[in-house]
Amino acid sequence: MSAQVTPPRGKGFFRTKSVEQSIQDTEEPEHGLKKSLSALDLTVFGVGVIIGTGIFVLTGQVAKETAGPATAIAFVAAGVVCALAALCYAEFASTVPVAGSAYTFSYASLGELVAWIIGWDLVLEFALGTAVVAVGWSGYIRSLLDNAGWALPDVLSGTDVAEGFGFDVLAFALVLVLTVILVIGMKLSARVTTVVVAIKVGVVLMVIIAGLFFIKAENYRPFIPPAEKQEAGGGWDAPLVQLMFGYEPTHFGVMGIFTAASIVFFAFIGFDVVATAAEETKLPQRDMPRGILGSLVICTVLYVAVSIVVTGMQHYSELSVSAPLADAFKATGHPFYAGLISFGAAVGLTTVCMILLLGQTRVFFAMSRDGLLPRFFSKTHPRFHTPYRPTILLGVLIAVIAGFTSIEELATLVNIGTLFAFVVVALGVLVLRRTRPDLPRAFRTPLVPLLPIVSVAASVWLMLNLPVETWVRFGAWMVLGGVIYFAYGRSHSRMAGENRP
């Protein structure tokens, strides 16, 4: 006997989709996803998407320009901010084990309009993230090919061609191959990810262990360099907080650690993608919190260890910006490890790209199942039980975008989109605790309402540190989403039909 479904609350923009209705939708044969993932699979997904080029590049770059050896503390601070959001995600993912992550959570707590906004935001975040990572992966592969004495023709090497037509065939091919893997099934995706993540983490651990033998204690002095004011800036590329409050970020010193934290925070982006796989998890109430929090802890430890090693191998003032860890090994007379780092980065970006694409398709699938996007995309494959229609559509579109445009200038949109999702999820925890205290919660965010409020404040502060230009582009995307919602989603929503007399 099926449980009684709580009717939708609210009207119009504020109508919500009950948790019971969300779970019931997953039981429809043509619209439900196959449950095949364990806590280990989720943890591997989290580690796979978080660890990318940031661990090889961002650590040394921030150490040289912002925090010195205290970059390790900045990683801890950024990890704490992410942990605040992760605790909120863990409660929602275990309470509402449905595809869609923050979109589904906000639909159950804050209403349809907010759900649409956050869903549209996640579509942008994951799509651009996938394309940007694919282009980065292509760059590492071309570098490795060049080292082997084999180079691609300029016309197929990407969009950095000075004149004429340019197409990044490697980035294009990567996205298409990953699309096929995701269509075939989540278990295959999990197996591929497990192998690749094992290689990637193995490379990181080898670099850490090898680097320990080249550390010099004098390179850690001073551990917190004296504070230096940054040169005053302005215009579109200035942080919004600077224009609003006249705040000037600081190089080095204690405040430099927090400035560095706002930068290295983006190396953690991706753990929220784990929540998009809630519907495909065997025991989501138990395994989602383990996967989200476990992957975050593992990556924080690795980031801190790498930052300690790189600042100990070479004085922070002498680190290079483009490839600090690789160049630090070259400076100690061990170029072999530089090639190993490039290999690890290339392998690592493969999983980052695949898991971002996975998150993108699950959000699109959930919005389609709710009627906010055409229901054509909400049917699963009869054999593989995967959302093959949105996967193929988005995979091809993103492959073309990755092939024809570098879009590095749009990468910060991924950051603001993630932080915006953090804010909505934290607020959603507060609302659902008040409106549905009766819901069974396998995992409960501690210190409510204090912890979600602190999470919102921390995320908003980091958002304010993003350039004004990023805010303008984000606003334009949201306006476009609003037009689509009022022209299509509002009238086709399944909740609209259920609210009609």
Side-chain angles (χ1 to χ4, degrees):
M1 183 177 179
S2 60
Q4 183 179 359
V5 176
T6 302
R9 292 182 290 107
K11 294 182 179 180
F13 304 144
F14 302 104
R15 56 191 174 219
T16 60
K17 184 179 181 182
S18 69
V19 174
E20 293 84 355
Q21 180 63 54
S22 298
I23 295 175
Q24 187 182 73
D25 286 347
T26 67
E27 299 171 357
E28 298 178 6
E30 291 186 339
H31 303 286
L33 300 175
K34 184 178 180 181
K35 298 182 182 295
S36 59
L37 301 180
S38 64
L40 177 61
D41 293 327
L42 295 172
T43 303
V44 169
F45 273 139
V47 174
V49 73
I50 296 172
I51 295 182
T53 54
I55 198 168
F56 302 112
V57 177
L58 201 57
T59 47
Q61 179 180 334
V62 171
K64 180 175 182 176
E65 299 178 350
T66 312
T71 297
I73 302 176
F75 270 114
V76 173
V80 170
V81 174
C82 289
L84 295 173
L87 289 169
C88 298
Y89 268 90
E91 174 170 327
F92 256 128
S94 61
T95 307
V96 192
V98 179
S101 185
Y103 159 76
T104 301
F105 306 157
S106 57
Y107 211 157
S109 56
L110 300 175
E112 183 175 280
L113 180 59
V114 176
W116 168 266
I117 290 172
I118 196 65
W120 188 246
D121 161 59
L122 291 175
V123 167
L124 174 72
E125 173 194 342
F126 294 148
L128 288 182
T130 305
V132 170
V133 171
V135 172
W137 175 87
S138 174
Y140 277 103
I141 295 298
R142 290 198 306 271
S143 176
L144 291 173
L145 291 175
D146 289 341
N147 292 339
W150 191 83
L152 284 174
D154 288 344
V155 72
L156 298 178
S157 63
T159 58
D160 54 347
V161 181
E163 298 178 0
F165 174 83
F167 182 74
D168 194 334
V169 66
L170 292 176
F172 176 81
L174 172 67
V175 177
L176 289 186
V177 169
L178 296 179
T179 297
V180 172
I181 292 175
L182 289 175
V183 167
I184 292 176
M186 278 293 286
K187 198 59 186 177
L188 175 62
S189 305
R191 288 170 179 165
V192 172
T193 303
T194 299
V195 173
V196 175
V197 169
I199 295 172
K200 174 166 60 175
V201 173
V203 170
V204 172
L205 291 175
M206 287 177 63
V207 168
I208 292 172
I209 294 171
L212 290 175
F213 293 97
F214 309 120
I215 289 177
K216 297 180 181 179
E218 58 267 24
N219 289 333
Y220 291 125
R221 294 192 289 266
F223 190 76
I224 302 179
E228 300 176 5
K229 281 191 176 182
Q230 294 186 27
E231 294 183 6
W236 291 105
D237 58 345
L240 182 61
V241 68
Q242 181 178 335
L243 298 183
M244 291 176 62
F245 307 113
Y247 168 79
E248 296 184 7
T250 304
H251 286 306
F252 307 117
V254 175
M255 291 305 298
I257 296 175
F258 294 101
T259 301
S262 69
I263 299 173
V264 301
F265 164 82
F266 304 121
F268 289 93
I269 283 178
F271 75 85
D272 56 316
V273 180
V274 176
T276 65
E279 189 175 327
E280 293 155 280
T281 303
K282 295 177 183 176
L283 298 172
Q285 290 78 8
R286 183 196 69 183
D287 293 342
M288 286 305 301
R290 293 181 179 181
I292 293 173
L293 297 172
S295 59
L296 186 59
V297 169
I298 291 171
C299 293
T300 301
V301 170
L302 290 177
Y303 278 151
V304 170
V306 167
S307 64
I308 290 175
V309 166
V310 72
T311 54
M313 291 176 61
Q314 194 173 20
H315 195 268
Y316 72 90
S317 62
E318 299 175 354
L319 289 170
S320 72
V321 175
S322 58
L325 195 53
D327 289 345
F329 276 104
K330 289 181 181 178
T332 60
H334 295 81
F336 165 77
Y337 291 103
L340 186 64
I341 291 168
S342 295
F343 172 74
V347 170
L349 289 181
T350 306
T351 54
V352 176
C353 192
M354 182 171 71
I355 299 168
L356 286 173
L357 182 59
L358 180 152
Q360 157 85 313
T361 58
R362 269 49 180 181
V363 173
F364 198 95
F365 170 79
M367 296 176 73
S368 172
R369 190 164 58 186
D370 291 333
L372 298 181
L373 291 171
R375 289 270 289 173
F376 170 82
F377 295 105
S378 66
K379 288 189 176 182
T380 55
H381 193 280
R383 176 183 175 187
F384 302 125
H385 301 287
T386 56
Y388 69 106
R389 290 175 176 175
T391 301
I392 294 172
L393 170 69
L394 297 170
V396 172
L397 286 176
I398 295 172
V400 172
I401 292 172
F404 281 107
T405 176
S406 59
I407 65 175
E408 282 92 349
E409 67 276 6
L410 297 181
T412 51
L413 282 172
V414 180
N415 304 333
I416 195 170
T418 300
L419 288 165
F420 182 61
F422 286 2
V423 171
V424 171
V425 169
L427 292 175
V429 167
L430 294 175
V431 172
L432 205 61
R433 282 284 188 97
R434 185 177 182 84
T435 59
R436 294 297 308 276
D438 58 305
L439 281 176
R441 291 171 169 84
F443 179 88
R444 298 178 68 88
T445 304
L447 301 176
V448 173
L450 177 62
L451 190 146
I453 291 174
V454 173
S455 178
V456 169
S459 297
V460 169
W461 172 252
L462 292 180
M463 289 174 73
L464 291 175
N465 279 276
L466 291 171
V468 175
E469 185 177 19
T470 299
W471 282 86
V472 172
R473 288 172 172 168
F474 182 68
W477 177 256
M478 289 293 107
V479 169
L480 175 61
V483 171
I484 295 176
Y485 172 73
F486 286 106
Y488 181 89
R490 183 185 180 192
S491 58
H492 289 79
S493 167
R494 294 177 69 191
M495 292 297 100
E498 294 182 17
N499 273 316
R500 293 190 184 109

